[in-house]
């Protein structure tokens, strides 16, 4: 079966590529706006599922991987900043605090209709950061503006972090890879 990654994220593509399986990355059709009263966990799961299922009609004999990540602090979902100044404000708010990242994963078998879902939880404590450090970081890592809260753990973003707690280090980057391997195995895909 063809493997499709419902994402244009190069970071997610890099994680999936580690498995050594051929796959195609395709932009999903999905409105990422949280629903009123929806928890961060529910938002992440719904969006991962929606992304995977959005491509089913175009790929009737495929395993489609959908993923989404929602960050949570003080009961508020943290989205992508959209601008440099919003990124500064988000990182100032998160500075010295622990943010919970919900990384949802859906694997949809379009031939059988089977849907598998899981969520990786990562707790990230940021260092106490000055405004100048935040501005320097965002200037040097402009891609971070496309990440939840502008907190991108890869590259220079690692300097923002004081502590990371997770059962899968890949989950923070957007794909709980260890769980994906089990999901693929359940669909008869052997990695090794």
């Amino acid at each position: 079966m063809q493997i499709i990654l419902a994402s244009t994220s190069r970071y997610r593509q890099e994680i999936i590529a580690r498995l050594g399986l051929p796959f195609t990355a395709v932009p999903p059709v999905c409105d990422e706006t949280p629903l009123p009263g929806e928890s961060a966990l529910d938002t992440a799961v719904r969006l991962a599922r929606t992304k995977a299922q959005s491509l089913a009609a175009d790929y009737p004999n495929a395993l489609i991987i959908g993923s989404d990540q929602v960050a949570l602090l003080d009961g508020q979902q943290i989205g992508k900043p959209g601008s440099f100044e919003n990124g500064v404000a988000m990182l100032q708010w998160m500075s010295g605090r622990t943010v919970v990242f919900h990384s949802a994963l859906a694997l949809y078998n379009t031939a059988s209709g089977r849907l598998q879902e899981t969520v990786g939880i990562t707790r990230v404590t940021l260092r106490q950061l000055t405004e100048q450090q935040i501005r320097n970081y965002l200037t040097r890592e402009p891609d971070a503006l496309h990440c939840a809260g502008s907190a991108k753990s890869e590259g220079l973003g690692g300097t923002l972090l004081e502590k990371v707690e997770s059962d899968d280090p890949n989950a923070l980057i957007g794909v709980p890879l260890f769980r994906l391997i089990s999901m693929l195995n359940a669909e008869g895909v052997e990695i090794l």
Side-chain angles (χ1 to χ4, degrees):
M1 293 185 82
Q2 188 176 14
I3 297 175
I4 304 295
L5 173 62
S7 177
T8 57
S9 164
R10 69 180 170 123
Y11 306 107
R12 287 187 174 120
Q13 290 175 39
E14 288 170 3
I15 291 172
I16 302 300
R18 293 177 195 167
L19 298 177
L21 299 172
F23 72 95
T24 304
V26 179
V29 179
C30 182
D31 177 357
E32 296 189 23
T33 306
L35 299 175
E38 188 175 45
S39 72
L41 177 72
D42 289 342
T43 299
V45 171
R46 178 179 58 81
L47 294 178
R49 178 187 320 120
T50 300
K51 288 176 181 181
Q53 293 179 331
S54 75
L55 302 176
D58 294 330
Y59 300 94
N61 189 35
L63 295 173
I64 304 178
I65 302 164
S67 62
D68 198 82
Q69 185 177 73
V70 178
L72 186 69
L73 179 62
D74 293 341
Q76 293 184 333
Q77 293 188 29
I78 305 169
K80 298 171 186 172
S83 75
F84 187 90
E85 290 306 320
N86 285 346
V88 170
M90 285 180 171
L91 286 170
Q92 285 177 316
W93 177 43
M94 295 164 39
S95 176
R97 305 186 67 204
T98 299
V99 180
V100 179
F101 288 83
H102 300 80
S103 301
L105 179 66
L107 182 64
Y108 185 52
N109 182 327
T110 59
S112 70
R114 180 178 180 186
L115 176 69
Q116 298 180 65
E117 298 175 317
T118 189
V119 178
I121 303 294
T122 306
R123 287 174 177 74
V124 176
T125 303
L126 278 75
R127 296 180 187 283
Q128 193 67 45
L129 303 165
T130 66
E131 181 178 346
Q132 190 57 54
Q133 288 172 321
I134 291 169
R135 289 183 178 281
N136 290 345
Y137 162 69
L138 291 175
T139 298
R140 292 174 61 190
E141 287 278 2
D143 283 353
L145 296 174
H146 304 289
C147 300
S150 293
K152 184 180 129 190
S153 64
E154 309 86 8
L156 189 61
T159 64
L160 304 176
L161 311 180
E162 184 173 285
K163 182 178 178 182
V164 176
E165 300 171 86
S166 178
D167 60 0
D168 183 343
N170 303 289
L172 183 57
I173 303 170
V175 178
L177 187 64
F178 301 164
R179 294 177 186 182
L180 176 60
I181 292 167
S182 297
M183 294 163 92
L184 288 168
N185 286 338
E187 292 295 339
V189 177
E190 294 295 327
I191 310 298
L192 298 175

